[in-house]
Amino acid sequence: MTLETGSENTAHGGVQGVYKHASAATGTDMTFSVFVPDHAPGVKLPVLWYLSGLTCTPANVTEKGEFRAACAEHGIIFVAPDTSPRGDDVPDDDSWDFGKAAGFYVNAVQPAWSQHYHMRDYVEKELPELVASAFPAEMDRQGITGHSMGGHGALTVSLRNPGRFRSTSAFSPIVSPLNCPWGEKAMTGYLGPDRTAWREYDACALIEDGARLPDLLVDQGTADGFLEGQLKTHLLQEACDAAGQKATIRMQEGYDHSYYFISSFLAEHVGWHAQRLKGG
Amino acid sequence: MTLETGSENTAHGGVQGVYKHASAATGTDMTFSVFVPDHAPGVKLPVLWYLSGLTCTPANVTEKGEFRAACAEHGIIFVAPDTSPRGDDVPDDDSWDFGKAAGFYVNAVQPAWSQHYHMRDYVEKELPELVASAFPAEMDRQGITGHSMGGHGALTVSLRNPGRFRSTSAFSPIVSPLNCPWGEKAMTGYLGPDRTAWREYDACALIEDGARLPDLLVDQGTADGFLEGQLKTHLLQEACDAAGQKATIRMQEGYDHSYYFISSFLAEHVGWHAQRLKGG
């Protein structure tokens, strides 16, 4: 796999890069960003994945996330994939919550979308292999987080791959696509009307069906305009309570859905992941 | 003076706002951003001014600056003005280094520009009065910093107003408009060909002419593509050495001119300012 460097900037003593490669999973070029802290030659570092939300590219968190100081302090590589396949020949939808920038981290099976929309394979298989080969990444020490649609992605990727991630957290996640308009639209569009097929892409359903994580940290703003209609954090709390899943789900007073919220707590999440990534 | 709230977001426990007002200095609407940390009712907080560089609006540092955690920690209000007058009836230039987003913090006297381009009066007089009236700002505890054209602004505003700022720093400043193409173009355009009139807008000339600051902190990246041709940091070092002006001018290895550089050190600058703003 060949990696093309879009940009590399010195930042917080390390290197913030943006890279492009031809993806077999999506059949398109894909762009992602990686921050590698300063480190001694030959040393490998734990990896924290960050999956982004609707309308985003990797640029949003890379520019606004305020994660680099904490990643430099703790010696953690930070990887941010894109949110969908891109390109003129990739099908799209007029709405902002489906199609481009709204891949929902699924493998689409509906014919209109199944040629390119394989974001599950991309973030679960192809990109990790590329990261392992091209960066000083210690792949048995991985954590994952994400925002909104990317929070949904972080939770479901981790729940479906037991043992891969030592730590899982999320910001304002869509906790149950089965139970919100964004999810119903995306799952119907990419997967079709059979709701049983959606369960592997639904954090609450995965927990109900027996998947478990060692621990879970979720932050959700109380002033988030999507909380009541789309995110429904309480469903995750209820699923965790019912299943005995260890989880710290924090309602953060006055915070909204924006990067002003994420950037207020992402450094703390990095520290939380670091505790779990750097132990024995 | 009436303030219109563009947006207010909870961030790092405080409020990041963007505001608009009708400016008498520029004869236009002007937009600026203010971060106010969480504080007890009735308490006033020191103010750190941040002047932005060419092509920027207040959004650049507000979104990418990574200053809020440090401002929240130290209890410092952060104010970011715009870089020029704006609006359809404001004259502009086809180039990106003159006209809109390139006000250079001067009061223009050339007829083509003198109606609106009064950024010196705006940042020295009008906006401070507005900030003092509308925010819990302790105006006898002010510091100032800025980037590139805004570093030039921070240095010259502070040097011309002895005693107003307890602390002054800059990132990648244009240290001598008399001695670089950006400066020669802007000063000629706004002020005319008489170079003696430029000296009050030239940090090195102001120091040569006797202006002094209690202390000065400057960070400059060694990989900054504008260093040799435009910024010429060594001229400031020489002027400070010749005048006995206390200054810490740091060449930061590998850093460029971008916000990846600024955001790597802005929190440290906030701490440096805090030491000087919060003492007796």
Side-chain angles (χ1 to χ4, degrees):
Chain A
M1 290 184 285
T2 309
L3 206 56
E4 181 183 327
T5 300
S7 61
E8 287 187 334
N9 298 79
T10 301
H12 289 284
V15 176
Q16 177 63 61
V18 178
Y19 307 95
K20 192 166 79 170
H21 67 116
S23 164
T26 66
T28 66
D29 282 350
M30 292 294 286
T31 298
F32 63 102
S33 81
V34 180
F35 176 67
V36 180
D38 187 31
H39 60 284
V43 167
K44 293 196 168 192
L45 304 175
V47 178
L48 179 59
W49 294 83
Y50 179 95
L51 303 184
S52 296
L54 290 167
T55 77
C56 286
T57 71
N60 301 71
V61 71
T62 304
E63 296 177 354
K64 303 180 182 178
E66 302 189 21
F67 58 86
R68 276 178 291 272
C71 285
E73 177 190 347
H74 296 291
I76 291 177
I77 291 173
F78 189 97
V79 182
D82 206 347
T83 51
S84 80
R86 307 277 182 175
D88 292 342
D89 58 340
V90 172
D92 198 6
D93 188 88
D94 286 341
S95 57
W96 58 271
D97 54 3
F98 189 66
K100 286 183 185 173
F104 272 84
Y105 307 101
V106 308
N107 286 340
V109 298
Q110 292 298 98
W113 306 95
S114 61
Q115 185 183 353
H116 296 295
Y117 284 77
H118 297 150
M119 289 301 292
R120 173 178 174 173
D121 281 350
Y122 180 69
V123 300
E124 278 189 13
K125 296 178 183 169
E126 187 179 31
L127 191 55
E129 289 173 19
L130 181 57
V131 166
S133 71
F135 298 92
E138 195 178 3
M139 297 302 282
D140 59 350
R141 295 179 189 269
Q142 295 184 71
I144 190 166
T145 187
H147 174 238
S148 195
M149 176 182 75
H152 144 77
L155 296 174
T156 55
V157 169
S158 189
L159 284 161
R160 279 195 311 266
N161 292 276
R164 179 186 295 194
F165 299 97
R166 296 196 181 196
S167 51
T168 305
S169 77
F171 294 84
S172 344
I174 300 170
V175 304
S176 182
L178 278 157
N179 291 292
C180 70
W182 280 342
E184 294 187 353
K185 179 176 178 175
M187 297 301 143
T188 303
Y190 294 132
L191 303 178
D194 175 11
R195 296 170 73 96
T196 58
W198 304 6
R199 295 184 69 82
E200 62 182 335
Y201 297 112
D202 185 296
C204 291
L206 284 162
I207 292 170
E208 283 168 24
D209 294 347
R212 292 292 180 272
L213 299 171
D215 197 357
L216 175 59
L217 173 65
V218 172
D219 275 315
Q220 170 64 51
T222 62
D224 184 331
F226 299 116
L227 173 56
E228 195 177 341
Q230 302 279 4
L231 307 174
K232 303 186 181 182
T233 317
H234 67 94
L235 295 177
L236 182 64
Q237 185 70 66
E238 289 160 17
C240 290
D241 288 348
Q245 168 63 55
K246 184 180 177 190
T248 302
I249 299 175
R250 309 188 297 192
M251 301 304 291
Q252 299 286 6
E253 189 66 29
Y255 287 89
D256 61 24
H257 200 66
S258 72
Y259 269 89
Y260 291 111
F261 167 53
I262 302 166
S263 63
S264 295
F265 295 98
L266 185 46
E268 184 185 344
H269 278 233
V270 170
W272 184 89
H273 284 271
Q275 282 183 334
R276 286 151 182 82
L277 291 172
K278 303 188 81 174
Chain B
M1 289 186 283
T2 310
L3 206 57
E4 181 184 328
T5 300
S7 62
E8 288 188 332
N9 298 78
T10 301
H12 289 284
V15 176
Q16 178 62 62
V18 178
Y19 307 95
K20 190 167 79 171
H21 68 116
S23 164
T26 66
T28 66
D29 283 351
M30 291 294 287
T31 298
F32 63 101
S33 81
V34 180
F35 176 67
V36 180
D38 187 30
H39 60 284
V43 167
K44 293 196 167 191
L45 304 175
V47 178
L48 179 59
W49 293 83
Y50 179 94
L51 303 184
S52 296
L54 289 167
T55 76
C56 287
T57 71
N60 301 70
V61 71
T62 304
E63 297 177 354
K64 303 178 183 178
E66 303 189 21
F67 59 87
R68 276 178 291 272
C71 285
E73 177 190 347
H74 296 292
I76 290 177
I77 292 172
F78 189 96
V79 182
D82 206 346
T83 51
S84 78
R86 307 278 182 176
D88 292 343
D89 59 341
V90 172
D92 198 7
D93 187 87
D94 286 341
S95 57
W96 57 271
D97 56 2
F98 189 65
K100 286 183 185 173
F104 272 84
Y105 307 102
V106 307
N107 287 340
V109 297
Q110 292 297 98
W113 306 94
S114 61
Q115 185 184 354
H116 296 294
Y117 283 78
H118 296 150
M119 289 301 292
R120 173 178 174 173
D121 282 350
Y122 180 69
V123 300
E124 278 189 13
K125 296 177 183 168
E126 186 179 31
L127 191 55
E129 289 173 18
L130 181 57
V131 165
S133 71
F135 298 91
E138 195 178 3
M139 297 302 282
D140 59 348
R141 294 177 189 269
Q142 294 184 70
I144 191 165
T145 187
H147 174 239
S148 195
M149 177 184 74
H152 144 77
L155 296 176
T156 55
V157 169
S158 190
L159 285 161
R160 280 196 309 267
N161 291 277
R164 180 187 294 192
F165 300 97
R166 296 194 182 198
S167 52
T168 304
S169 78
F171 294 84
S172 344
I174 301 169
V175 304
S176 182
L178 278 157
N179 291 293
C180 70
W182 281 341
E184 293 186 352
K185 179 176 179 176
M187 298 300 143
T188 303
Y190 294 131
L191 304 178
D194 175 9
R195 296 169 73 94
T196 58
W198 304 5
R199 295 184 70 82
E200 61 182 333
Y201 297 112
D202 186 295
C204 291
L206 284 162
I207 292 170
E208 283 169 24
D209 295 347
R212 293 291 180 274
L213 299 171
D215 198 356
L216 176 59
L217 173 64
V218 172
D219 275 316
Q220 170 63 53
T222 62
D224 184 329
F226 300 116
L227 173 55
E228 195 177 339
Q230 302 279 5
L231 306 175
K232 303 186 182 183
T233 316
H234 66 94
L235 295 178
L236 181 64
Q237 185 70 67
E238 290 160 17
C240 289
D241 289 348
Q245 168 64 56
K246 185 180 178 190
T248 303
I249 299 174
R250 307 187 300 191
M251 301 305 291
Q252 299 286 5
E253 189 66 29
Y255 287 90
D256 60 24
H257 200 66
S258 72
Y259 269 90
Y260 291 111
F261 167 53
I262 301 167
S263 63
S264 296
F265 295 98
L266 185 45
E268 184 185 343
H269 278 233
V270 170
W272 185 89
H273 284 271
Q275 284 183 333
R276 286 151 183 82
L277 292 172
K278 304 187 82 174

